[in-house]
Amino acid sequence: MKKTVALIVGTRPEAIKLAPVYQTLLRSETLQPFLLSTGQHREMLAQTLAAFELKPEADLALMQANQTLPDLTARVLQAMTCWLHANRPSAVLVQGDTTTAFAAALAAFYARIPVGHVEAGLRTYDFAAPWPEEMNRRLADPISRWCFAPTTLSRDNLLAERIPSERVHVTGNTVIDALLWMRSRQRQATADPVARARRCGIPKVMAARYFGSAPARWILVTGHRRESFGEGFENICKSIHAIVEQHDEIGVVYPVHLNPRVQEPVRRLLGGNPRIALIEPLGYEDFVWFMDRCHFLLSDSGGVQEEAPSLGKPVLVMRTTTERPEGVTAGTSRLVGTDPAAILHESRILLGDTTEYAARAALRNPYGDGHTSGRIVAVLERELAGDTFA
Ligand code: UD1
Ligand code: UDP
């Protein structure tokens, strides 16, 4: 009988990054996946899983509007504990640094079920940024039996924290598996770009101007980090407004995260501008399509920093520090924080200096080769064979 590996997803990035592991486990001769959602996100998670034609096999449905960190953490820990005791999978996989990832890992640790942490070892060494994610991943790694580090740098971070080397596996990041798979599907699609942009919520005039036969350049924006709530978001919005004011032809497409603390300032400060499209969060297939067409990205997202280099798109990272320094070192991303002067200065370079733009767009992706899930499943198959926990 095959042993069950429970994959725990709560938010959009976890779904994207565990979907390829799920697909790979389906082909295993000794293991089988079980997709469990904590429901930390609702609409955004369902939308993301749908892009991979996946549905959770069980859903703890925990999201509440404007949820707080302590409440959510407690609810995930309790609900996960009940589920684990009732179902006893052979192993649990968590991904990244969300409340779901940390609290589910802790629940599995208490239930004495081995945990694998996908995307282990990322560090800023600043507990305030990103907050609370830096703490979540710092707590998840030591209780994980398998730490799947995307790069040698993340492996070294784990070894420096005295995580035993036999628990650490350098695998690449599964996001590249997901991205390449989604991109190959795009190539088969023949949709009319203007019609597709319209379907995704881009207003008629902007769709013709930025997605028509001679498209003008436009910037893709995402933002949701808790440490930027308040003044940070006000500054981000003012910067976007100023970019559009200072560059006649440039447009902005901004799929706005559903967190009310993001929605409010973004819609108040950027709504109604004829060259800024504020749209609903995009399904992953559509978001990849938009990334492929934008001039560059302005984002505080972790996943976007990893994906954009595979599509030849520079990223200005609206954060003061990053756990993904490989991209900064390679030159694919640059940190601009939420300071309008820095955002405007770096945007001007990417819009005005064609040589610099071409050099940054041509860099190699340091985060993976598209075969990460296979490496993760191979480790699990080998180590779960005859496992005493099972
Ligand atoms: C969470 C993660 C963050 C991750 C991000 C991905 C934590 C602490 N934060 O942040 O690391 O980068 O997801 O997007 O785990 N909401 C909806 N519908 C949805 C999703 C969210 O309405 O589908 C609203 C709800 O009001 C919810 C709020 O957004 O209470 C915040 O959601 P939450 O998951 O707590 O935080 P995120 O900011 O999304
Ligand atoms: N993404 C998406 N739709 C959007 C915006 C982002 O599918 O409208 C994808 C993006 O490609 C990336 C992931 O969501 O893979 C990043 O999610 P988010 O920024 O919410 O979280 P983070 O990566 O910062 O944890």
Side-chain angles (χ1 to χ4, degrees):
M1 218 175 79
K2 290 186 181 182
K3 292 181 175 172
T4 299
V5 179
L7 286 78
I8 318 302
V9 293
T11 68
R12 170 166 75 188
E14 294 162 87
I16 293 168
K17 291 172 171 178
L18 286 180
V21 183
Y22 184 93
Q23 305 289 12
T24 309
L25 277 167
L26 281 179
R27 297 192 294 272
S28 170
E29 285 178 8
T30 54
L31 305 176
Q32 61 187 7
F34 186 95
L35 189 62
L36 172 63
S37 168
T38 62
Q40 175 177 339
H41 279 180
R42 190 183 299 143
E43 302 85 345
M44 286 164 60
L45 183 65
Q47 177 187 48
T48 307
L49 289 172
F52 293 93
E53 291 160 18
L54 291 177
K55 253 196 166 162
E57 286 151 282
D59 186 356
L60 305 177
L62 296 175
M63 195 194 93
Q64 291 178 358
N66 265 318
Q67 58 206 2
T68 65
L69 294 173
D71 273 355
L72 179 64
T73 307
R75 284 186 279 120
V76 174
L77 187 57
Q78 285 179 334
M80 273 301 305
T81 298
C82 287
W83 188 88
L84 289 171
H85 283 296
N87 293 278
R88 304 280 333 160
S90 296
V92 164
L93 281 189
V94 300
Q95 197 286 328
D97 49 24
T98 64
T99 297
T100 287
F102 159 59
L106 187 60
F109 173 75
Y110 287 154
R112 301 184 71 79
I113 295 172
V115 188
H117 185 200
V118 176
E119 201 179 82
L122 276 62
R123 300 287 184 266
T124 60
Y125 295 104
D126 177 355
F127 285 131
W131 181 85
E133 289 83 359
E134 177 72 4
M135 183 58 87
N136 285 344
R137 57 190 173 225
R138 285 288 288 270
L139 296 170
D141 284 330
I143 54 180
S144 294
R145 168 141 156 212
W146 304 283
C147 290
F148 297 112
T151 65
T152 51
L153 187 70
S154 37
R155 174 200 61 199
D156 293 346
N157 290 339
L158 293 163
L159 298 181
E161 289 165 25
R162 303 186 66 181
I163 308 272
S165 60
E166 62 274 17
R167 292 191 189 182
V168 181
H169 306 271
V170 180
T171 55
N173 196 309
T174 55
V175 76
I176 307 300
D177 303 21
L179 178 70
L180 297 182
W181 182 78
M182 202 48 92
R183 208 167 170 224
S184 70
R185 277 171 60 120
Q186 305 275 359
R187 294 230 166 86
Q188 297 153 19
T190 52
D192 161 22
V194 175
R196 186 162 185 177
R198 292 281 294 134
R199 177 176 61 69
C200 292
I202 307 292
K204 199 170 174 188
V205 176
M206 278 190 75
R209 186 168 182 186
Y210 296 104
F211 296 86
S213 50
R217 296 179 304 171
W218 54 276
I219 303 164
L220 183 56
V221 178
T222 78
H224 67 85
R225 297 246 83 88
R226 276 178 159 75
E227 64 273 17
S228 298
F229 289 170
E231 194 188 350
F233 264 95
E234 302 269 332
N235 283 338
I236 288 170
C237 293
K238 283 179 195 152
S239 310
I240 294 167
H241 194 265
I243 293 171
V244 169
E245 288 292 300
Q246 291 173 15
H247 301 270
D248 281 346
E249 84 286 17
I250 297 301
V252 167
V253 173
Y254 186 168
V256 189
H257 192 288
L258 292 182
N259 194 329
R261 305 227 21 214
V262 177
Q263 289 275 336
E264 191 282 320
V266 171
R267 297 203 178 271
R268 172 167 48 83
L269 293 165
L270 296 177
N273 189 306
R275 278 190 284 131
I276 302 176
L278 301 180
I279 59 175
E280 295 294 308
L282 291 163
Y284 190 55
E285 190 168 352
D286 287 324
F287 190 74
V288 171
W289 186 82
F290 274 76
M291 276 201 285
D292 232 351
R293 275 162 185 74
C294 71
H295 187 58
F296 69 88
L297 288 114
L298 195 53
S299 176
D300 62 16
S301 163
V304 163
Q305 292 173 62
E306 295 153 348
E307 294 162 333
S310 284
L311 304 175
K313 305 295 174 178
V315 189
L316 298 184
V317 183
M318 295 187 290
R319 297 173 48 179
T320 49
T321 175
T322 179
E323 59 290 314
R324 293 164 171 93
E326 299 91 343
V328 178
T329 307
T332 57
S333 34
R334 211 167 259 195
L335 295 179
V336 291
T338 56
D339 169 28
I343 296 175
L344 282 168
H345 173 72
E346 291 294 336
S347 297
R348 234 175 264 130
I349 293 174
L350 289 173
L351 291 169
D353 186 337
T354 46
T355 315
E356 169 75 10
Y357 179 86
R360 277 158 70 179
L363 293 164
R364 197 184 71 83
N365 193 325
Y367 293 109
D369 58 3
H371 300 289
T372 295
S373 306
R375 294 185 191 105
I376 291 172
V377 171
V379 170
L380 294 175
E381 283 173 340
R382 191 175 64 236
E383 300 206 4
L384 282 170
D387 194 298
T388 49
F389 281 104

